[in-house]
Amino acid sequence: LCCAVLFIYLFFTRFWLISALYTAWWLIDRETPYKGGRRFHVMRNSVVWRHMRDYFPIKLVKTAELDPRKNYLLGFHPHGVLAAGAFLNFCTEASGFSMLFPGITPHLMTLSLWFRFPFLRDYLMSGGLVPSDKESASHVLRRPEGGNSLTIVVGGAQEALDARPGSFILLLRKRKGFIRLAIEHGTPLVPVFSFGENELYEQVSNPRGSWLRRLQYQLQQIMGVSLPLFHARGIFQYSFGLVPYRRPICTVVGKPIPVQKKHNPSEEEVDQLHQKYLEELSKLFEEHKVKYNIPEDKHLEFL
């Protein structure tokens, strides 16, 4: 909203030419977000992101190599309130993505809505963000030279409504669009679990079926984004505020799942690969949970 207000405001000042020229640029450049975007390494390497990394702190862990001759589709879980791990690990170099995965260019999908705002769209593209639609995803995954990764926060904004400390609920049981996309392009699937992502905020109780959850669902359908009622700490006090808690996040990248390319996969083929993905994601969680202080009796819950 700030970007939109600034854009309109400039038209009524002596700096109106800035908005006028930007409008012309916007029209010429309107397809760029859907064709892989336009990243700026200066922005990805900004010292601001290193301070953000150290605040929590946030760490990226590799469990297997990614071949730079191939493209990869990464499923990120859970969404959390902010998806802080997804942003910092795949849209900045603060956690050393390029050093861990040399030859791989990361992209992260976000709501197409944000690319409609002037100035904001260019800022988002500078870090490697692309719109969350099939056209944009296909452009990245079909690049013949390989060396690209596309990260999708599979649970989306709806999963944020279940983001609270100690929760391991993933909206994944019926989410199969990314599976079909991987088969159509023959792209290996890589499960990613971000331990600590749900620990950053407390959330007002909103169990399924409650009036609050129904209202949040309705607002999400209208606005395209969910509105979790969250709180954490303040800047100078720790009892209440919107600043996230300083709790560690460790994003673990699993091993690739081979995918056989097929232009028009059947429902059975999609279901089989989807089940394989659930199993590999659960295995990744179980293998690493003790390292990050998750009780042995805690398991992922797929809805």
Side-chain angles (χ1 to χ4, degrees):
L1 288 178
C2 292
C3 291
V5 169
L6 176 61
F7 177 74
I8 296 172
Y9 171 74
L10 289 176
F11 270 116
F12 299 94
T13 70
R14 59 179 178 173
F15 302 107
W16 63 270
L17 186 60
I18 295 176
S19 287
L21 291 174
Y22 186 85
T23 300
W25 164 250
W26 196 355
L27 292 173
I28 295 171
D29 194 55
R30 63 185 179 275
E31 294 299 321
T32 299
Y34 302 92
K35 296 182 178 180
R38 180 178 51 250
R39 66 189 57 233
F40 290 105
H41 293 290
V42 172
M43 182 65 72
R44 286 180 57 86
N45 286 281
S46 172
V47 67
V48 173
W49 310 132
R50 293 197 290 274
H51 286 304
M52 179 178 174
R53 173 200 64 196
D54 295 338
Y55 172 82
F56 294 101
I58 294 179
K59 182 180 180 181
L60 183 64
V61 175
K62 177 178 71 173
T63 63
E65 297 292 338
L66 297 185
D67 187 346
R69 295 170 297 180
K70 298 179 180 179
N71 297 318
Y72 294 90
L73 181 57
L74 279 62
F76 182 93
H77 315 272
H79 184 286
V81 171
L82 293 179
F87 174 78
L88 195 89
N89 289 311
F90 302 112
C91 292
T92 82
E93 288 297 331
S95 57
F97 181 92
S98 294
M99 294 181 64
L100 286 172
F101 303 102
I104 303 293
T105 301
H107 302 78
L108 174 65
M109 302 194 83
T110 189
L111 288 175
S112 302
L113 168 69
W114 306 129
F115 293 89
R116 299 174 187 172
F117 290 91
F119 306 127
L120 177 62
R121 67 187 291 276
D122 298 279
Y123 169 72
L124 296 177
M125 285 192 293
S126 70
L129 284 156
V130 295
S132 56
D133 59 34
K134 189 173 182 178
E135 175 191 355
S136 179
S138 295
H139 184 87
V140 173
L141 298 179
R142 67 169 174 252
R143 289 178 173 174
E145 70 277 11
N148 295 277
S149 69
L150 179 67
T151 302
I152 301 177
V153 185
V154 182
Q158 187 175 343
E159 191 175 81
L161 300 177
D162 287 308
R164 51 176 47 86
S167 173
F168 299 101
I169 298 173
L170 301 181
L171 295 184
L172 188 54
R173 185 71 65 183
K174 297 181 180 179
R175 306 258 170 144
K176 302 178 182 179
F178 74 108
I179 299 291
R180 182 175 296 275
L181 187 67
I183 296 175
E184 290 175 349
H185 292 86
T187 306
L189 282 163
V190 182
V192 178
F193 194 87
S194 194
F195 292 90
E197 196 74 45
N198 282 340
E199 308 300 313
L200 304 187
Y201 286 99
E202 302 286 350
Q203 189 171 167
V204 173
S205 179
N206 60 342
R208 285 176 173 76
S210 66
W211 68 268
L212 178 56
R213 181 61 75 98
R214 291 196 297 269
L215 176 61
Q216 289 173 321
Y217 279 156
Q218 291 173 357
L219 290 174
Q220 180 190 346
Q221 293 174 352
I222 296 171
M223 303 172 61
V225 295
S226 64
L227 297 172
L229 298 180
F230 58 89
H231 61 88
R233 51 162 288 186
I235 298 176
F236 302 111
Q237 46 78 30
Y238 295 88
S239 57
F240 188 82
L242 297 181
V243 178
Y245 293 122
R246 297 190 69 175
R247 293 173 178 171
I249 297 174
C250 191
T251 302
V252 182
V253 180
K255 64 179 182 180
I257 303 170
V259 176
Q260 185 174 359
K261 184 176 181 179
K262 187 172 184 180
H263 178 65
N264 189 21
S266 65
E267 290 297 326
E268 182 180 359
E269 290 169 324
V270 172
D271 289 343
Q272 287 178 352
L273 182 57
H274 183 259
Q275 183 60 38
K276 175 66 174 176
Y277 181 85
L278 295 182
E279 292 170 358
E280 289 297 324
L281 178 59
S282 294
K283 183 179 178 181
L284 180 70
F285 177 80
E286 296 295 333
E287 287 179 349
H288 294 271
K289 67 181 182 181
V290 176
K291 300 176 188 177
Y292 306 112
N293 301 315
I294 308 298
E296 282 282 3
D297 61 346
K298 291 289 185 178
H299 309 283
L300 296 182
E301 180 181 354
F302 299 123
L303 298 181

